[in-house]
């Protein structure tokens, strides 16, 4: 009997399957489509330079889950990017029928196996895999999922890692944001092409800010296209009136209050 689940590396031929996994419910959203276009371009650039940077899980022939990763040195916003370090961005299995079938674990183990066999980081050795785990609000929180599969907290406690050929090595600190004259009396949001939701989130943030300060000038910066602008601002995701915003925009009222304080 043929196995219902199969894992495939990302290629030009299944990019749309990868996008479908995360975006199936938003394909008619014009703003989300702009994020998809950015992601699609990023995936093709990564494939050309480093080979597969993702895997797609299929169940009964349909794409149902994905895992996304890339060499840290590929990220232009990371100063002194460590060679042979694999950044694991996310594991996502949104389909209720396939949840609790171990598909996420299969995807993760496949990446670990590839790293051990020097099939990641542009087919080079991999020292360790690093991830900034977050909670999607669905099923098992990612921090628990990674720890269950052997990931350990970094000494700083802000990341998790899985050793492949060597132990964890800390990255070069980027420092804290200091107010820049050009950031006064404006709002800047830094978004990424790595996730198709990043651009949509940026537009949602713009809408919320304009509800608080309708006339404020607003600038959106693609971090991978203008990494110098991101590094200059210490990779802060949102700057309003030369103040970094800490509250995530989905905490709407708290977010709006912080915006009010930033412009007062």
């Amino acid at each position: 009997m043929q196995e219902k689940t199969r894992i495939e590396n990302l290629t030009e031929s299944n990019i749309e399957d990868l996008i479908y996994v995360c975006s199936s419910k938003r394909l008619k959203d014009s703003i989300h489509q702009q994020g998809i276009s950015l992601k699609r371009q990023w995936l093709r650039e990564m494939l050309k330079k480093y080979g597969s940077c993702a895997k797609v899980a299929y169940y009964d022939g349909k794409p149902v889950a994905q895992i996304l990763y890339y060499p840290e040195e590929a990220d232009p916003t990371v100063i002194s990017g460590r060679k042979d370090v694999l950044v694991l961005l996310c594991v996502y299995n949104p389909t209720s029928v396939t949840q609790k079938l171990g598909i996420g674990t299969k995807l993760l183990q496949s990446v670990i196996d590839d790293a051990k066999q020097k099939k990641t980081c542009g087919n080079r050795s991999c020292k360790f895999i690093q991830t900034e785990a977050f909670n999607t609000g669905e099923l098992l929180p990612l921090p628990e999922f990674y720890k269950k599969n052997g990931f350990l907290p970094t000494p700083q406690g802000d990341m998790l890692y899985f050793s492949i050929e060597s132990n964890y090595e800390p990255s070069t600190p980027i420092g804290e944001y200091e107010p820049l004259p050009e950031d006064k009396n404006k709002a800047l949001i830094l978004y990424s092409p790595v996730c198709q939701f990043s651009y949509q989130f940026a537009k949602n943030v713009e809408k919320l800010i304009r509800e608080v300060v309708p006339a404020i000038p607003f600038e959106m910066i693609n971090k991978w296209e203008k990494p110098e602008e991101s590094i200059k601002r210490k990779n802060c995701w949102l700057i309003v009136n030369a103040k970094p915003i800490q509250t995530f925009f989905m905490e709407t009222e708290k977010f709006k209050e912080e915006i009010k304080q930033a412009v007062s």
Side-chain angles (χ1 to χ4, degrees):
M1 182 176 178
Q2 187 176 6
E3 188 178 8
K4 285 190 173 184
T5 304
R6 75 176 192 276
I7 307 295
E8 288 188 5
N9 284 336
L10 183 72
T11 63
E12 280 280 351
S13 64
N14 64 1
I15 284 178
E16 298 309 312
D17 290 344
L18 178 77
I19 289 170
Y20 178 84
V21 168
C22 294
S23 300
S24 60
K25 297 178 181 179
R26 298 172 177 83
L27 294 176
K28 295 182 180 180
D29 184 320
S30 59
I31 293 177
H32 191 75
Q33 278 292 340
Q34 293 179 62
I36 287 175
S37 295
L38 292 167
K39 171 74 167 282
R40 190 182 287 118
Q41 179 182 344
W42 180 85
L43 289 170
R44 286 173 175 154
E45 289 172 357
M46 294 297 293
L47 275 170
K48 185 177 180 180
K49 191 168 184 179
Y50 297 101
S52 180
C53 59
K55 293 176 183 284
V56 183
Y58 295 83
Y59 184 79
D60 276 349
K62 298 178 181 179
V64 295
Q66 62 92 34
I67 188 168
L68 185 69
Y69 51 92
Y70 54 87
E72 184 180 75
E73 64 184 290
D75 187 345
T77 70
V78 177
I79 58 172
S80 303
R82 295 163 294 182
K83 286 188 177 295
D84 305 330
V85 172
L86 194 66
V87 174
L88 176 55
L89 184 71
C90 65
V91 183
Y92 192 45
N93 178 14
T95 311
S96 58
V97 175
T98 59
Q99 291 173 346
K100 298 185 179 180
L101 296 180
I103 290 177
T105 299
K106 288 181 180 178
L107 282 166
L108 180 58
Q109 190 57 55
S110 181
V111 173
I112 291 172
D113 290 344
D114 280 0
K116 290 178 177 177
Q117 296 169 29
K118 301 183 180 180
K119 294 180 180 179
T120 59
C121 296
N123 293 326
R124 298 203 314 263
S125 298
C126 176
K127 294 177 181 177
F128 56 88
I129 303 171
Q130 175 180 292
T131 186
E132 184 177 1
F134 56 91
N135 185 3
T136 62
E138 301 177 57
L139 225 59
L140 185 67
L142 278 178
E144 293 182 34
F145 169 76
Y146 290 131
K147 289 176 182 177
K148 184 179 178 182
N149 283 280
F151 279 69
L152 300 172
T154 62
Q156 297 86 353
D158 57 341
M159 300 276 184
L160 294 171
Y161 78 99
F162 187 97
S163 177
I164 301 295
E165 292 190 358
S166 63
N167 291 324
Y168 176 79
E169 299 172 6
S171 59
T172 303
I174 195 168
E176 298 291 330
Y177 172 81
E178 295 182 4
L180 299 173
E182 63 262 43
D183 293 349
K184 283 282 189 179
N185 302 312
K186 67 188 295 188
L188 301 97
I189 183 167
L190 288 78
Y191 67 93
S192 168
V194 180
C195 175
Q196 57 261 54
F197 285 91
S198 185
Y199 182 80
Q200 185 172 30
F201 285 173
K203 297 300 289 184
N204 290 342
V205 167
E206 179 182 10
K207 181 180 178 181
L208 286 174
I209 291 175
R210 293 201 185 282
E211 289 176 9
V212 179
V213 199
I216 192 170
F218 199 97
E219 182 180 357
M220 292 201 299
I221 298 172
N222 183 328
K223 298 193 299 182
W224 285 60
E225 284 187 353
K226 297 181 178 179
E228 69 284 354
E229 297 297 326
S230 182
I231 292 171
K232 186 164 61 173
R233 294 172 176 88
K234 310 304 180 185
N235 291 334
C236 291
W237 74 285
L238 177 61
I239 307 290
V240 176
N241 193 26
K243 298 179 180 69
I245 302 301
Q246 305 298 328
T247 307
F248 191 49
F249 76 95
M250 287 186 176
E251 298 180 72
T252 308
E253 295 308 315
K254 186 179 177 182
F255 176 80
K256 286 184 175 181
E257 183 58 35
E258 188 171 357
I259 299 300
K260 288 179 184 178
Q261 292 176 9
V263 297
S264 61

